[in-house]
Amino acid sequence: MPPKRETFRLTRSPGRLLAFSDAVFAIAVTLLVLEIQPPKDFGRLVQGLGELWPSYLAYTLSFLLIGQVWVNHHVMFDRVRHVDRGVLFLNTLLLMVIAFLPFTTSLLAEALRAEQGLRASVVAYGGTLWTAAALFNIIWVHLRRARLLDPGLGPLGARAIGRRFALALVWIGSGIVVGAFVPIAGVVIIAAFLPAYYLPVRGEYGEDDITAEQPPG
């Protein structure tokens, strides 16, 4: 009887996915500055620079938001052992949305400058961010179901990260709904999303799981 042949399952390291993702994030934040065009009338340069405030505002907000997405992207993939085709495809969709953000940023800045079309521009801007948040949630669910996460991340940490990603959908969604009626208020709600999501996620390093496993006393 011939010996049984051993089979090995191919596993893909997330290294190339992260390298490609970082490159897209870097290009996206770089493209944001191209929306800021210098004044044409250099005879009133100081006033012209001041009139560019909508571009400065949109640039700052989008740069920090993309930076926030990049941070949470690392929070997620720092805990990934390997990736499959599903993760590669979903991450590509996420990057496609991030690459679209410079356009909606420009749209928001122009609407603020023209004081027209603000409702539609805020909805388009928030909708782009909400789609990115939705893809984050889908990727996280797929990673957990496919058991692609590091075993060192216990259930408490995994749930904490999942709750953070899910909350983003409600938060940004609220900004979109409010922005459809009161555009500036919608932008404020979306901007308020920034400080909370730069904070570390409780349990992301597995501290709570270690504590839970230790016997009392």
Side-chain angles (χ1 to χ4, degrees):
M1 182 176 179
K4 185 177 180 181
R5 186 173 63 179
E6 293 185 2
T7 58
F8 298 92
R9 182 183 176 186
L10 174 66
T11 58
R12 294 184 177 91
S13 167
R16 291 188 66 186
L17 178 148
L18 288 172
F20 178 61
S21 299
D22 286 348
V24 173
F25 284 125
I27 292 170
V29 295
T30 302
L31 290 176
L32 291 173
V33 77
L34 299 181
E35 194 279 325
I36 307 177
Q37 299 295 321
K40 295 181 179 179
D41 185 1
F42 275 66
R44 46 191 293 274
L45 183 59
V46 174
Q47 182 179 349
L49 289 172
E51 292 172 352
L52 291 175
W53 70 266
S55 294
Y56 304 146
L57 175 63
Y59 168 80
T60 302
L61 180 59
S62 292
F63 197 105
L64 292 175
L65 282 168
I66 292 177
Q68 180 194 86
V69 175
W70 175 77
V71 168
N72 285 283
H73 193 267
H74 274 280
V75 169
M76 180 162 56
F77 279 94
D78 282 347
R79 285 301 193 168
V80 175
R81 290 180 301 167
H82 53 267
V83 297
D84 59 11
R85 281 182 174 269
V87 176
L88 294 175
F89 174 70
L90 292 170
N91 190 71
T92 299
L93 293 181
L94 173 63
L95 296 178
M96 181 176 69
V97 174
I98 296 302
F100 189 72
L101 195 56
F103 168 74
T104 54
T105 299
S106 178
L107 198 67
L108 178 62
E110 289 298 326
L112 285 169
R113 189 176 295 112
E115 298 183 353
Q116 294 180 340
L118 268 175
R119 293 181 181 181
S121 66
V122 171
V123 170
Y125 185 79
T128 304
L129 294 170
W130 189 91
T131 304
L135 285 166
F136 253 93
N137 281 271
I138 294 170
I139 292 172
W140 185 247
V141 170
H142 177 79
L143 288 169
R144 293 190 68 181
R145 288 182 176 176
R147 299 183 179 180
L148 301 174
L149 295 173
D150 183 349
L153 179 65
L156 293 178
R159 286 195 296 269
I161 294 173
R163 283 194 298 268
R164 172 72 67 89
F165 292 162
L167 179 59
L169 292 173
V170 179
W171 197 319
I172 299 173
S174 299
I176 295 171
V177 173
V178 173
F181 298 95
V182 187
I184 298 302
V187 173
V188 170
I189 291 173
I190 293 172
F193 176 72
L194 279 167
Y197 273 70
Y198 269 111
L199 296 174
V201 183
R202 181 182 177 183
E204 68 179 274
Y205 298 108
E207 312 95 328
D208 289 353
D209 293 288
I210 294 173
T211 303
E213 291 174 2
Q214 292 178 346

